[in-house]
Each structure stands twice: as structure tokens, then as C-alpha cells.
Amino acid sequence: MLDLTGKNALVTGIANNRSIAWGIAQQLHQAGANLGVTFLPDERGRYEQKVRELVEPLAPSLFLPCDVQQPEQVTATFNTVQEKWGKLDVLIHCLAFASKEDLGGDFSRVSVDGFNLALDVSAYSLVSLCAAAKPLMTDGGSVVTLTYLGGARVVPNYNVMGIAKAALEMNVRYLAAELGAQNVRVNGISAGPIRTLASSAVGGILDMIHHVEAVAPLKRTVTQTEVGNAAAFLCSDLASGITGQILYVDSGYSIMGM
Ligand code: NAD
């Protein structure tokens, strides 16, 4: 049975009720996990208020600001996890960012700053969060990140984010190799296109979704709940033999040649 009772799970990346992280948080909660939620702080506190209200029904026992570009916020987050929970069992990395101008047009026009920004927030952050989580995962654990087909194949407009996802997927493998010795598993879910705040910055996201609806074996794209179910599985003992993998939750789109 899929049971996460007694597991402490830290979920990053909830911005609103369309966020994939929101779908994951709900499924982890349903499976009995004790939740901690981080949010991206902004000057006017708008995100904080919105996310706080959204997650209230899941009664998270931790609610913390964590901008992955601010190392002191990452340190403070995991210090609090240690202080309040003692150990961490599950880490959900469900965040990414690139400038809108780098998510369309000619890829070769990307600036070094735009390139570094996308790679820093979307790929390096998995490494820094895992480094901070490692000493707290004393009883084994599971890390799950979110990736997209555009990191393995060329998808129009995905551009620099494809490079970031390729790096992210390789991070999954190197981190899985390192953390396996302490029974911590690291996996990625490659989700089909879903309308969210982040995906709306990618040029032609609706065309991508319509293409999937026409071509994918299941003739539709996936939902946040379906991604959440797969994440809950990967975090549970049912997936105890699975690490370093990218699990496609994409209605089968990625198997098609035409
Ligand atoms: P979303 O906009 O709901 O979530 C993105 C999150 O990233 C937000 O919560 C935002 O606050 C957070 N974030 C951005 N910069 C940050 C920073 N510096 N520090 C901390 N958090 C930061 O969109 P989403 O589509 O749910 O994206 C979640 C993940 O899923 C991303 O990695 C995305 O690439 C991936 N993904 C999305 C799709 C899709 O079609 N929506 C498909 C495959 C993979």
C-alpha cells in the first residue's frame, strides 16, 4: 500500500493552485506525509499570502521562505527542518526559472546572463538543496525533481530551459550515485505539458498541449494530480528499488516517432 505515514516531506515550488507542486503536495498529504512547504518570497509578500491560504487544508507543520538563489535562505530552511523535525525523508524539487526572452526565438541569441540564470535556478538548485538535505536524511529518503522532454530532445521555444533540464537530469544521476550509499533515492518525473505560471512563459505552450492531445497514445495531456500520484509512488517504499531514473508521466507522448 502507498503509505507515507510518519514521513517528513519538504515541498518546494507551490505558487498557486495550478502548480505541479500543489498536485504533489496534495497526494503526499493524502498518503499521510507530514508536510513542510517553502515559497518564493517577494517584497510585497503576495506569494506568501496566496500560498499560505492555498496549503492551509494540508496543515503543513513548516511554512518557510526559500529563494534558491539566496544561499542563506536555503541554509535557514534546512536548519529549521533539523530543529523542528530532526530528520527529513522526502524532498520535492519542483521549480524552474528563465527569462521570458530566452524562451522563444533563436536559441543562439541567449545571453550568458540568461543562460546562467536558467541553469542556476533550474538545475544547480537541485544540487544545493540535496547538499543541505543530505545530513538530515539519516533514515534513507527520496528526492524527486520535475523535468520535461525538452531536456532530452529539441522542442521549439523551450530553448535555454532545455539545456537546464538536460543538466538537471544528469544531476539526478550523479546525486543518485552519491546518495544511494545512505539509501537516499533521487529520481525525476518528466511531465507532459500542463498550463501553469511557469509554462505560460514558454512560447506556444497551448500549441504544445494541442499537439500532445493529437499525438499522444492517451490523446490528452496529463494533470497535476497524475504527476502527484507518480511522485507519491516514487517517495514511497513501493519504489524502494528505483533511483537515478527519469519517469515519463506524459500520456505516452515521448514514445511516438510521428
Ligand atoms: P509554477 O510556476 O507553478 O512553479 C514554478 C515554481 O518555481 C514557482 O512556485 C516559483 O515560485 C518557483 N521558483 C522560481 N524561481 C525560484 C527561486 N529562485 N527560488 C525558489 N523557487 C523559485 O510552474 P510548474 O509548471 O508547476 O513548474 C514546476 C516544475 O515543473 C518546473 O521545474 C517545471 O520546469 C516543471 N515542468 C513543468 C511542466 C509544465 O508543462 N507545466 C512540464 C514538465 C516539467
Side-chain angles (χ1 to χ4, degrees), residues 6 13 40 77 84 90 110 113 124 127 129 149 153-154 171 176 179 185 214 233 242:
L40 176 64
T77 295
K84 302 280 183 196
V90 167
V110 66
D113 288 346
Y124 176 71
V127 182
L129 294 190
L149 182 66
R153 304 204 207 139
V154 174
N171 283 343
L179 298 176
R185 298 178 294 103
F233 160 70
I242 303 175

Side-chain angles (χ1 to χ4, degrees), residues 12-16 18-21 39-40 47 66-69 93-97 121 146-148 158 161 165 168 189-199 205:
T12 66
I14 301 177
N16 57 38
R18 287 177 174 240
S19 295
I20 292 176
F39 61 92
L40 176 64
Y47 263 136
C66 187
D67 179 339
V68 295
Q69 289 198 288
H93 175 275
C94 193
L95 57 93
F97 187 78
V121 176
L146 265 293
T147 184
Y148 175 62
Y158 205 60
M161 191 54 79
K165 292 304 191 191
L168 181 74
I189 292 176
S190 186
I194 300 175
R195 279 191 81 176
T196 62
L197 205 58
S199 72
I205 176 73

Side-chain angles (χ1 to χ4, degrees), residues 135-194:
L136 305 184
M137 291 187 141
T138 47
D139 199 15
S142 175
V143 177
V144 173
T145 186
L146 265 293
T147 184
Y148 175 62
L149 182 66
R153 304 204 207 139
V154 174
V155 172
N157 298 321
Y158 205 60
N159 293 12
V160 72
M161 191 54 79
I163 315 312
K165 292 304 191 191
L168 181 74
E169 293 183 13
M170 213 54 221
N171 283 343
V172 165
R173 298 182 187 104
Y174 275 91
L175 289 165
E178 175 183 335
L179 298 176
Q182 64 181 72
N183 197 28
V184 173
R185 298 178 294 103
V186 185
N187 292 290
I189 292 176
S190 186
I194 300 175

